[in-house]
């Protein structure tokens, strides 16, 4: 093997000769050193872009070369034709075409990868020449591939022309890639339309040839498969179905050949799902008997467990029935045929076996039922009534089928399933659930009555020998509907609530569904609290079982949230069971947090005099455990224990709001502000004050562990967000602690928590001093941090920018009344804009938007803007010009708009001066384009959308992407 040209030499200095190319290819394909491979690949890419590529590509296609070298030659040809077509003089076009055809003939026997690449190259050439310079490409291609006697020994196509079979396959390959190259190419809209019309004009000839080959008994399976793939490729051009009718019908005959079945299915589905097909109702009707003719084959395949055949036939039936459901519904003279097709699809939905282990077909049909229902319900009332008479019985059958398909297998069989199969089955049941919910719109209350009657018979009739799957499926049906449909007015829900306690929940999967069904009825229970007594004991029995962790806790949480005003009689039972499972650690940490949220809702609605006592009782074991853990030496197990308990407290304080019971409020609304006397008695504040020394001890021992600090801050953050002004008594202590934490070891969570405090307390006189002092400490510490190593702390920069944006928004008077270094803040913002992290840049833009809006009112800010505003302008333009992600264009546009709105004269001066710099912000933009951009920006002081579009367009220009497909359409 020749030595590679890369090591020891500068690759750029190497000539792009055949010898060097081959050596680099050997290095790329066969050298085990990845670094050398990468160098070779980079050099070969340069070679393909060179002018010499037009010459060396032919030498690489020599028959004596290895396939990898030949493939590179063919790929190079395609790249030159596709990307460097303008480099080739027009007088050489004919020679290139003849050479390509000749080489395609030579390679018609293979290697396949080289043949395909040459075909793609010729297709790309055709797209450059059609229609002006090559008016009949298909005819010329067919003529070139006609078998003929060679005139001389030198004819490069002589050998290939003696092999009609491979010859035919090569032609079909060429005709297949021609539309594909059109679809994948980047073309201007007008040129794409022109080419589409030109290629569509060639379809008649292609279609005739394909029919002839598909019907011919002499055609091999290989040729027929190529014909089918070629048809799929051409129908993507939206060729009229009317012109392809006979050819599509011929494809049905191919379904009887096992070697062609999969390809024929793909082709038929592609052909009948084109958007334009709906114009040809008669053609669709002519295909209906052919699809229905597959019903017997479908039933046989289902009986034999032939998943591939059932899957394929189902795809065809669904493609016709779903894509054209409205068109076929409107053909009133053919309603029986369409009903037969609907029943065929219903059979597919109910294919025997468990999904996905025994069958994978039924899932294909679910969206069909949505589409059919939508189309029926979209007709005017009179017409709709007629259709409902026909299709309502079908939808009731569908409900039976879906419930049967949702059945779990036996416990033994289910245990043998892989985790992937179980997950697919879970998703499948979610899809069935969505379908049932949708079907309710058509069948209404009658559906719920149907489900209730069947469940009642199973549970109450001693003659019924029900298996647990039957009961589970019916409850699953109820739950699917109740999750999203308002069932408050249904007259069957009281009966259902009465039946549920009769269910034996010894089976885990049945018990899960029972829990979820109860949870879905939580809103109904809130309106009918008298029914809670019969249901809650069942939920609490589930709560003590680890295997019902998710379902029982989520159900209890929903009940506590929706029914909290009526839970006082049951509070002791709920708290006792909950405390027990928490202490015994029956559930995982994440589920325990959910349980704490449920208990927060419960405690919130209890009488005020009871809350603190019950709260102490609930958290005392955890506080004691936390106290023990804090005394231990730090290690991973201790850390995990501390984090879990802090997480429990955070979750509890997220929902524990004593003001939430006020009439007219829901949990999303802020609680009203109480008096100082009432605030002091807030139980959450009392508890926080009691555990504050313990939290300070945690901080002192774990200060340098960011996860623990974040968990501590999380406890207070959740409390502040929930209690709002009631949190006031804690402000002084917390401000002091945050200042100590941050000045010792700066971390983003402390800044985020301070931002929440600023949001709520910065405007209150009694807290102003504490908040001001905290902001001063955080700011001076942050500025010190960024003087040492700014790039190491993107999270701190983000949180710091967000904090100061909040200060400017909520309490800008903090600025003149503190010792803040506004100039240093401004420069830190400039620095943050240059960070590669998107959230940090967004935060910096938000800071500057707020900063600029206050410059007129605040001399300290205005002074900095006057002296350094040009630097801000320059930094933003540099980011727009390529220094930052294009996704940030909107954020930068807001800064530019704010500059222009609040300082138009200075903005005009800065923008003009900055853009005068040659090559700034990018070498891709001209002076004229920069001038246009400047004028468009300065013209707008209010229209955010227009400024955003201007900035986005300019950003594309700066990156050389304008006109490259990014801004088209």
């Amino acid at each position: 093997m020749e030595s590679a040209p890369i090591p020891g030499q500068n690759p750029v200095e190497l000539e792009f000769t055949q010898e060097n190319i081959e050596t680099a290819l050997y290095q790329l394909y066969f050298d085990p050193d990845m670094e050398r491979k990468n160098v070779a690949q980079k050099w070969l890419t340069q070679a393909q872009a060179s002018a010499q590529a037009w010459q060396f590509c032919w030498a690489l296609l020599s028959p004596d070369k290895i396939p990898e070298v030949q493939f590179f030659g063919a790929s190079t040809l395609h790249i030159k034709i596709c990307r460097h077509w303008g480099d080739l003089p027009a007088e050489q076009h004919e020679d290139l075409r003849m050479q390509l055809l000749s080489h395609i003939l030579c390679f018609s026997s293979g290697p396949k990868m080289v043949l395909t690449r040459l075909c793609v190259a010729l297709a790309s050439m055709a797209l450059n020449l059609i229609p002006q310079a090559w008016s009949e490409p298909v005819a010329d291609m067919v003529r070139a591939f006609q078998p003929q006697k060679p005139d001389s020994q030198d004819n490069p196509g002589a050998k290939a022309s003696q092999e009609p079979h491979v010859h035919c396959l090569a032609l079909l390959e060429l005709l297949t890639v021609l539309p594909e190259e059109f679809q994948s190419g980047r073309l201007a809209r007008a040129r794409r339309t022109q080419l589409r019309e030109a290629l569509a004009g060639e379809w008649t000839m292609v279609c005739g040839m394909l029919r002839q080959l598909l019907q011919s008994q002499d055609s091999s399976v290989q040729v027929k498969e190529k014909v089918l793939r070629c048809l799929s490729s051409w129908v993507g051009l939206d060729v009229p179905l009317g012109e392809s009718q006979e050819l599509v019908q011929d494809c049905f005959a191919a379904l009887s050949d096992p070697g062609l079945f999969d390809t024929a299915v793909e082709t038929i589905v592609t052909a009948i799902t084109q958007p334009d097909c709906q114009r040809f109702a008669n053609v669709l009707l002519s295909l209906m008997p052919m699809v229905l003719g597959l019903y017997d084959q479908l039933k046989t395949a289902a009986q034999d467990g032939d998943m591939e055949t059932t899957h394929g036939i189902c795809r065809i039936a669904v493609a016709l029935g779903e894509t054209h459901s409205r068109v076929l519904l409107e053909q009133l003279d053919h309603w029986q045929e369409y009903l037969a097709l609907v029943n065929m699809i219903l059979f597919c939905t109910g294919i025997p076996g468990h999904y996905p282990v025994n069958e994978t077909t039924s899932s294909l049909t679910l969206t069909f039922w949505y589409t059919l229902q939508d189309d029926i319900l979209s007709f005017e009332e009179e017409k709709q009534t007629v259709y409902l008479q026909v299709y309502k019985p079908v939808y009731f059958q569908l409900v039976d089928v879906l419930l049967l398909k949702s059945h779990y297998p036996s416990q033994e069989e289910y245990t043998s399933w892989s985790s992937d199969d179980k997950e697919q089955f879970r998703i499948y049941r979610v899809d069935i659930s969505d379908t049932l919910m949708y079907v309710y719109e058509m069948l209404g209350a009658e559906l719920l009555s149907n489900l209730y009657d069947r469940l009642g018979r199973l549970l109450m009739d001693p003659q019924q020998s029900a298996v647990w799957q039957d009961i589970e499926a019916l409850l699953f049906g109820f739950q699917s509907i109740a999750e999203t449909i308002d069932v408050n007015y249904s007259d069957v829900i009281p009966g259902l609530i009465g039946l549920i306690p009769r269910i034996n929940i010894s089976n885990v999967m049945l018990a899960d569904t029972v829990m979820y069904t109860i949870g879905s009825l939580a809103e109904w229970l809130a309106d009918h609290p008298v029914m809670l007594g019969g249901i809650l004991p069942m939920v609490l029995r589930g709560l003590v079982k680890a295997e019902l962790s998710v379902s029982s806790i989520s159900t209890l949480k929903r009940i506590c949230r929706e029914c909290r005003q009526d839970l006082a009689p049951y509070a002791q039972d709920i708290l006792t069971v909950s405390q027990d499972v928490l202490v015994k650690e029956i559930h995982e940490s994440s589920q325990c947090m959910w349980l704490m949220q449920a208990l927060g809702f419960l405690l919130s609605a209890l009488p005020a005099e009871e809350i603190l006592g019950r709260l102490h009782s609930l958290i005392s074991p955890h506080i004691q455990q936390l106290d023990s853990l804090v005394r231990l030496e730090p290690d991973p197990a201790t850390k995990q224990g501390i984090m879990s308990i802090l997480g429990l407290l955070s979750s509890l304080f997220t929902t524990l709001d004593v003001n939430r019971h006020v009439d007219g409020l829901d949990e999303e609304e802020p609680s009203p502000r109480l008096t100082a006397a009432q605030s002091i008695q807030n139980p959450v504040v009392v508890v926080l004050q009691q555990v504050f020394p313990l939290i300070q001890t945690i901080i002192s021992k774990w200060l340098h562990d960011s996860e623990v600090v974040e968990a501590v801050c999380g406890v207070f953050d959740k409390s502040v967000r929930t209690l709002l002004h009631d949190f006031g008594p804690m402000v002084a202590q917390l401000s002091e602690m945050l200042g100590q934490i941050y000045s010792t070891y700066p971390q983003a969570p402390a800044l985020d928590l301070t931002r929440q405090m600023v949001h709520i307390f910065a405007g209150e006189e009694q807290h102003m001093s504490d908040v001001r002092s905290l902001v001063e400490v955080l700011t001076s510490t942050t500025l010190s941090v960024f003087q040492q190593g700014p790039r190491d702390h993107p999270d701190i920069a983000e949180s710091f920018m967000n904090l100061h944006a909040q200060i400017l928004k909520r309490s800008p008077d903090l600025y003149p009344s503190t010792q803040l270094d506004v100039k240093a803040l401004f420069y830190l913002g400039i620095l943050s804009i240059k960070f590669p992290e998107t959230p940090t840049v967004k935060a910096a833009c938000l800071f500057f938007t707020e900063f600029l809006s206050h410059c007129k009112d605040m001399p300290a800010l205005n002074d900095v803007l006057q002296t350094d505003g040009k630097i801000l302008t320059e930094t933003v333009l540099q980011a727009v010009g390529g220094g930052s992600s294009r996704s940030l264009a909107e954020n930068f546009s807001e800064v530019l708009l704010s500059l222009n709105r609040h300082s138009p004269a200075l903005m005009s001066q800065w923008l003009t001066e900055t853009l005068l710099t040659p090559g700034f912000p990018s070498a891709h933009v001209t002076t004229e384009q920069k001038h246009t951009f400047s004028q468009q920006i300065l013209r707008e002081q209010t229209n955010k959308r227009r400024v955003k579009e201007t900035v986005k367009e300019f950003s594309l220009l700066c990156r050389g992407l304008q006109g490259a497909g990014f801004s088209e359409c």
Side-chain angles (χ1 to χ4, degrees):
M1 189 183 299
E2 299 173 59
S3 61
I6 310 304
Q9 302 180 52
N10 183 350
V12 180
E13 296 172 359
L14 287 169
E15 292 185 21
F16 298 122
T17 63
Q18 176 192 342
E19 181 183 7
N20 286 340
I21 296 290
E22 287 190 61
T23 306
L25 283 168
Y26 273 93
Q27 183 170 315
L28 175 65
Y29 286 114
F30 306 115
D31 195 318
D33 188 328
M34 282 306 299
E35 188 175 344
R36 287 162 61 86
K37 282 177 179 287
N38 292 335
V39 172
Q41 184 174 33
K42 186 175 180 181
W43 184 82
L44 287 166
T45 302
Q46 295 170 354
Q48 287 183 315
S50 70
Q52 297 95 306
W54 289 108
Q55 284 75 45
F56 69 64
C57 61
W58 300 110
L60 299 177
L61 285 164
S62 175
D64 61 338
K65 304 298 181 186
I66 63 171
E68 289 84 358
V69 172
Q70 294 171 334
F71 178 77
F72 182 80
S75 295
T76 300
L77 258 177
H78 175 235
I79 287 170
K80 298 305 290 183
I81 292 169
C82 187
R83 301 180 190 172
H84 305 276
W85 180 248
D87 298 345
L88 192 69
E91 57 269 18
Q92 294 182 24
H93 291 174
E94 184 61 23
D95 288 343
L96 177 61
R97 184 171 72 173
M98 297 311 296
Q99 276 185 292
L100 272 170
L101 284 167
S102 175
H103 277 76
I104 290 172
L105 288 170
C106 285
F107 283 95
S108 57
S109 297
K112 174 71 166 61
M113 63 178 182
V114 181
L115 172 64
T116 299
R117 216 73 209 134
L118 287 169
C119 289
V120 171
L122 183 56
S124 185
M125 181 179 182
L127 295 179
N128 281 316
L129 297 175
I130 297 172
Q132 293 86 352
W134 198 354
S135 57
E136 297 180 331
V138 171
D140 290 343
M141 290 174 187
V142 172
R143 198 161 33 249
F145 282 81
Q146 290 297 324
Q148 52 189 320
K149 292 182 181 179
D151 329 301
S152 74
Q153 296 297 321
D154 299 325
N155 183 353
K159 182 178 177 182
S161 65
Q162 294 168 8
E163 303 176 15
H165 175 69
V166 294
H167 205 195
C168 180
L169 289 172
L171 175 60
L172 288 169
E173 179 72 15
L174 180 56
L175 292 176
T176 301
V177 301
L178 181 59
E180 291 173 351
E181 185 69 4
F182 165 77
Q183 299 284 21
S184 63
R186 276 185 180 172
L187 299 165
R189 187 178 296 175
R191 177 62 176 158
R192 181 172 292 277
T193 302
Q194 182 188 37
L195 278 175
R196 188 186 294 277
E197 291 172 358
L199 290 172
E202 301 282 298
W203 172 237
T204 303
M205 182 174 186
V206 175
C207 185
M209 186 186 76
L210 296 182
R211 278 207 78 192
Q212 185 180 349
L213 289 171
L214 198 56
Q215 292 176 341
S216 172
Q217 293 183 348
D218 297 331
S219 296
S220 66
V221 170
Q222 199 177 3
V223 167
K224 288 183 177 180
E225 185 177 12
K226 273 288 180 192
V227 168
L228 294 169
R229 294 190 187 282
C230 189
L231 170 57
S232 288
S233 180
W234 278 82
V235 296
L237 296 175
D238 294 333
V239 293
L241 182 62
E243 296 178 17
S244 316
Q245 179 178 351
E246 293 84 3
L247 180 55
V248 174
Q249 289 172 344
D250 291 341
C251 294
F252 279 86
L255 292 169
S256 59
D257 187 332
L260 295 173
F261 182 82
D262 290 342
T263 311
V265 167
E266 200 64 50
T267 302
I268 293 168
V269 169
T270 303
I272 63 179
T273 53
Q274 295 302 311
D276 192 51
C277 289
Q278 303 210 357
R279 295 195 296 117
F280 302 95
N282 289 334
V283 178
L284 296 173
L285 289 172
S286 75
L287 295 176
M288 194 108 72
M290 307 193 80
V291 177
L292 292 172
L294 301 171
Y295 204 166
D296 289 338
Q297 187 181 353
L298 172 67
K299 290 176 181 175
T300 303
Q303 189 174 351
D304 296 342
D306 182 352
M307 290 172 67
E308 287 76 14
T309 301
T310 55
H311 199 83
I313 295 175
C314 177
R315 284 188 64 200
I316 294 172
V318 170
L320 182 62
E322 182 178 338
T323 311
H324 308 294
S325 102
R326 188 176 185 88
V327 172
L328 296 174
L329 279 169
E330 289 174 336
Q331 311 306 310
L332 298 179
D333 294 339
H334 299 269
W335 70 271
Q336 289 174 310
E337 288 175 70
Y338 188 56
L339 179 59
L341 180 63
V342 170
N343 280 311
M344 182 177 176
I345 295 172
L346 181 62
F347 176 84
C348 294
T349 306
I351 288 279
H354 284 106
Y355 181 96
V357 176
N358 310 117
E359 63 90 10
T360 56
T361 299
S362 57
S363 62
L364 301 175
T365 66
L366 298 181
T367 54
F368 163 76
W369 301 108
Y370 290 96
T371 305
L372 178 60
Q373 179 177 312
D374 273 350
D375 287 333
I376 290 172
L377 297 180
S378 69
F379 287 116
E380 60 274 15
E381 190 173 346
E382 186 178 343
K383 212 171 186 180
Q384 188 183 122
T385 304
V386 175
Y387 284 117
L388 287 175
Q389 286 178 343
V390 175
Y391 288 102
K392 250 191 172 184
V394 177
Y395 271 82
F396 272 112
Q397 290 180 57
L398 172 65
V399 171
D400 292 342
V401 167
L402 291 175
L403 293 179
L404 184 62
K405 293 299 292 183
S406 71
H407 273 202
Y408 280 97
S410 67
Q411 189 72 54
E412 183 181 0
E413 183 184 347
Y414 189 68
T415 305
S416 70
W417 283 14
S418 68
S419 57
D420 185 51
D421 286 339
K422 289 177 180 176
E423 176 61 12
Q424 285 191 56
F425 183 61
R426 185 193 67 79
I427 295 169
Y428 176 67
R429 278 173 53 100
V430 171
D431 293 339
I432 288 178
S433 176
D434 291 343
T435 308
L436 287 169
M437 177 270 294
Y438 211 73
V439 166
Y440 179 83
E441 291 188 28
M442 176 181 277
L443 303 182
E446 200 176 343
L447 172 56
L448 289 178
S449 298
N450 178 287
L451 295 175
Y452 173 68
D453 291 343
R454 290 168 61 183
L455 182 63
R457 285 195 297 273
L458 287 176
L459 294 174
M460 305 294 288
D461 189 346
Q463 302 299 319
Q464 292 278 343
S465 55
V467 294
W468 68 266
Q469 286 96 332
D470 294 329
I471 298 171
E472 192 279 336
L474 289 167
L475 286 174
F476 174 71
F478 268 114
Q479 177 211 332
S480 301
I481 296 163
E483 282 289 0
T484 48
I485 304 296
D486 183 3
V487 295
N488 279 3
Y489 302 103
S490 170
D491 55 2
V492 305
I493 302 301
L496 173 63
I497 294 289
L499 286 175
I500 286 177
R502 293 176 173 271
I503 299 171
N504 181 346
I505 61 171
S506 57
N507 178 277
V508 172
M509 288 170 279
L510 173 59
D512 256 335
T513 303
V514 168
M515 292 298 151
Y516 286 127
T517 304
I518 295 172
S520 70
L521 298 172
E523 290 185 33
W524 186 91
L525 288 167
D527 292 335
H528 305 82
V530 69
M531 307 298 284
L532 281 166
I535 286 292
L536 268 173
M538 204 169 193
V539 177
L540 295 180
R541 287 201 302 274
L543 195 63
V544 301
K545 298 180 180 179
E547 61 271 22
L548 299 180
S549 180
V550 176
S551 60
S552 62
I553 291 176
S554 65
T555 296
L556 181 62
K557 181 181 173 184
R558 293 177 76 168
I559 290 174
C560 288
R561 183 181 63 208
E562 302 298 337
C563 311
R564 55 180 174 264
Q565 303 303 331
D566 301 292
L567 290 178
Y570 316 102
Q572 186 58 53
D573 290 341
I574 295 172
L575 285 166
T576 300
V577 175
S578 299
Q579 284 174 298
D580 189 51
V581 299
L582 286 168
V583 170
K584 291 179 179 177
E585 298 183 350
I586 290 174
H587 305 295
E588 292 183 4
S589 177
S590 58
Q591 302 309 319
C592 290
M593 292 181 191
W594 276 26
L595 180 54
M596 277 297 203
Q597 289 182 15
L599 299 178
F601 286 124
L602 173 67
L603 292 171
S604 298
L606 294 180
E609 62 276 9
E610 290 185 26
I611 296 177
L612 187 57
R614 292 190 181 276
L615 179 57
H616 272 136
S617 176
L618 174 62
I619 67 172
S620 288
H622 305 289
I623 299 302
Q624 290 169 9
Q625 186 184 359
L626 187 62
D627 187 47
S628 300
L629 288 169
V630 170
R631 298 173 191 276
L632 300 175
E633 286 302 311
D635 62 35
T638 304
K639 173 183 172 180
Q640 186 58 47
I642 290 172
M643 296 271 290
S644 296
I645 296 171
L646 292 174
L648 291 179
L649 294 176
S650 294
S651 299
L652 178 63
F653 297 157
T654 299
T655 55
L656 206 172
D657 182 3
V658 296
N659 297 309
R660 198 175 254 134
H661 68 276
V662 176
D663 289 340
L665 288 180
D666 62 35
E667 75 252 20
E668 300 300 326
E669 294 176 334
S671 56
R673 187 172 174 182
L674 302 182
T675 65
Q678 288 173 301
S679 298
I680 293 170
Q681 299 306 312
N682 190 294
V684 173
V685 173
V686 172
V687 168
L688 283 174
Q689 287 174 329
Q690 290 171 351
V691 301
F692 199 80
L694 182 57
I695 289 176
Q696 286 180 308
T697 306
I698 294 172
I699 287 294
S700 66
K701 293 189 76 169
W702 294 87
L703 179 60
H704 291 80
D705 190 308
S706 59
E707 290 180 332
V708 174
V709 172
E710 185 174 0
V712 168
C713 289
V715 173
F716 292 103
D717 182 73
K718 295 295 189 295
S719 304
V720 170
R721 289 171 184 269
T722 304
L723 302 183
L724 301 178
H725 298 282
D726 285 3
F727 189 82
M730 292 294 302
V731 170
Q733 286 175 284
L734 184 56
S735 296
E736 184 180 356
M737 186 182 80
L738 285 175
Q740 291 171 351
I741 291 174
Y742 197 81
S743 57
T744 307
Y745 189 67
Q747 296 179 61
L751 294 167
D752 296 333
L753 178 51
T754 303
R755 179 160 55 95
Q756 286 301 321
M757 293 171 64
V758 167
H759 177 67
I760 297 164
F761 298 110
E764 296 189 7
E765 192 59 41
Q766 68 268 36
H767 301 304
M768 180 66 82
S769 175
D770 294 317
V771 173
R772 183 186 301 115
S773 299
L774 175 58
V775 169
E776 286 179 358
V777 170
L778 299 186
T779 302
S780 62
T781 303
T782 304
L783 294 176
S784 299
V785 167
F786 278 83
Q787 285 171 359
Q788 297 163 15
R791 275 299 298 119
D792 299 333
H793 307 285
D795 56 334
I796 291 178
E798 177 193 347
S799 296
F800 187 70
M801 288 289 102
N802 280 325
L803 168 61
H804 276 275
Q806 183 73 279
I807 292 170
L808 286 165
K809 185 176 183 179
R810 299 286 296 182
S811 187
D813 50 340
L814 272 177
Y815 270 56
S817 63
T818 59
Q819 303 302 312
L820 295 179
D821 186 341
V822 177
K823 192 178 186 72
L825 269 178
F826 190 90
Y827 273 92
L828 184 51
I830 297 286
L831 190 65
S832 298
I833 286 180
K834 297 179 180 180
F835 272 47
E837 289 81 7
T838 295
T840 305
V841 180
K842 285 185 175 181
C845 290
L846 179 63
F847 164 72
F848 278 117
T849 303
E850 292 294 338
F851 185 98
L852 294 167
S853 67
H854 289 90
C855 283
K856 286 183 180 176
D857 317 322
M858 301 171 65
L861 273 60
N862 193 51
D863 291 345
V864 174
L865 180 65
Q866 296 281 337
T867 56
D868 298 315
K870 184 179 177 181
I871 299 174
L872 173 60
T873 307
E874 183 180 320
T875 304
V876 171
L877 290 177
Q878 190 172 24
V880 169
S884 294
S885 166
R886 283 194 297 131
S887 64
L888 291 162
E890 182 173 359
N891 304 89
F892 295 131
S893 68
E894 289 182 2
V895 178
L896 292 173
L897 178 64
S898 196
L899 271 168
N900 195 35
R901 180 184 293 165
H902 301 293
S903 302
L906 287 170
M907 172 64 168
S908 176
Q909 177 189 334
W910 295 331
L911 200 57
T912 304
E913 290 175 0
T914 305
L915 291 175
L916 281 176
T917 307
F920 181 87
S922 164
H924 290 289
V925 285
T926 64
T927 303
E928 184 180 348
Q929 288 170 328
K930 290 194 281 187
H931 177 73
T932 302
F933 168 72
S934 177
Q935 294 304 306
Q936 289 174 333
I937 289 293
L938 295 173
R939 193 181 302 133
E940 293 296 337
Q941 292 191 357
T942 55
N943 195 322
K944 283 187 178 182
R945 182 186 59 80
R946 199 167 294 165
V947 174
K948 177 187 171 184
E949 289 172 357
T950 301
V951 171
K952 185 178 178 182
E953 197 72 17
F954 186 66
S955 181
L956 289 172
L957 282 170
C958 289
R959 296 162 202 261
L961 299 177
Q962 183 74 356
F966 291 93
S967 59
E968 232 183 296
C969 310

